[in-house]
Amino acid sequence: MWNRRDLVLTAAGALAAAALPLPAAAATASNFSLRNLAGKEVNLTDYEGRVVLLSFWATWCGPCKVEMKHLHEYHTELAEKGLTVLFISIDDARAAMAVKQYVKKQGYDEAQFLLDPQSEAVALFNAKKTVPLSVLIDKKREIVKTWEGFNPGEEVAVKEAILAELAKNT
């Protein structure tokens, strides 16, 4: 028979587990082709040999915007070492102008921001349309880790995982 304390501890454990990175199957990341805000077609295969972090976000998602600041800093800091961060908006096609306005207002590089109006990449990596959702892909296009949601402080673990992948000589 469950008592109240056991239920609270079980619920707390489940919440803590939900905040941890999701285990990633050793699977090759499927290619996709999307347009960035600058109008250029971008394929995941364009980045083979680089560590790629896909960040799924939406204009209406507050935690996405907080996480985005950290991920943008990592991209700027670590691009020369082989990191590319691609931000994929899950907003529908009608919100494309809002995406563009937000990116411009923040001073971010339009080339990093991809629109997915047909949910092509979303279907491959984020079928639940969770935001924020980040997918770390290694230099061989293998999925290394996936993080669902964002809480302040988690950016440290994300950066550590990125640095570990960049350090590998594969």
Side-chain angles (χ1 to χ4, degrees):
M1 188 76 177
W2 291 87
N3 65 34
R4 184 180 175 109
R5 181 180 164 273
D6 290 337
L7 287 174
V8 170
L9 290 175
T10 300
L15 287 173
L20 296 174
L22 300 173
T28 300
S30 298
N31 191 35
F32 58 79
S33 179
L34 300 174
R35 291 223 176 263
N36 65 21
L37 291 179
K40 181 183 176 204
E41 186 174 312
V42 174
N43 295 289
L44 184 58
T45 54
D46 296 342
Y47 300 98
E48 283 192 45
R50 295 184 63 81
V51 173
V52 177
L53 184 73
L54 303 179
S55 176
F56 291 88
W57 72 289
T59 54
W60 46 262
C61 172
C64 296
K65 294 174 181 180
V66 174
E67 178 186 52
M68 185 180 293
K69 289 178 184 178
H70 298 289
L71 300 182
H72 185 265
E73 287 175 15
Y74 301 161
H75 175 82
T76 302
E77 175 187 342
L78 301 170
E80 288 184 17
K81 294 182 179 179
L83 174 67
T84 297
V85 178
L86 298 174
F87 297 95
I88 302 173
S89 170
I90 71 160
D91 290 295
D92 63 23
R94 296 175 302 218
M97 185 55 68
V99 171
K100 191 165 186 136
Q101 288 172 344
Y102 178 76
V103 169
K104 185 176 182 177
K105 181 180 176 185
Q106 298 303 312
Y108 295 146
D109 181 0
E110 290 185 346
Q112 284 181 262
F113 287 81
L114 311 180
L115 298 174
D116 193 5
Q118 305 301 318
S119 296
E120 180 183 342
V122 168
L124 295 172
F125 298 96
N126 190 7
K128 295 189 303 183
K129 293 189 174 183
T130 300
V131 289
L133 180 101
S134 297
V135 180
L136 183 60
I137 301 168
D138 71 11
K139 297 171 187 176
K140 296 180 188 175
R141 249 183 58 217
E142 298 291 318
I143 297 172
V144 177
K145 286 186 186 256
T146 304
W147 292 271
E148 187 174 336
F150 175 77
N151 289 303
E154 291 177 354
E155 70 276 4
V156 174
V158 173
K159 186 173 185 180
E160 288 173 356
I162 290 169
L163 291 172
E165 285 307 311
L166 289 172
K168 291 181 181 176
N169 292 329
T170 56

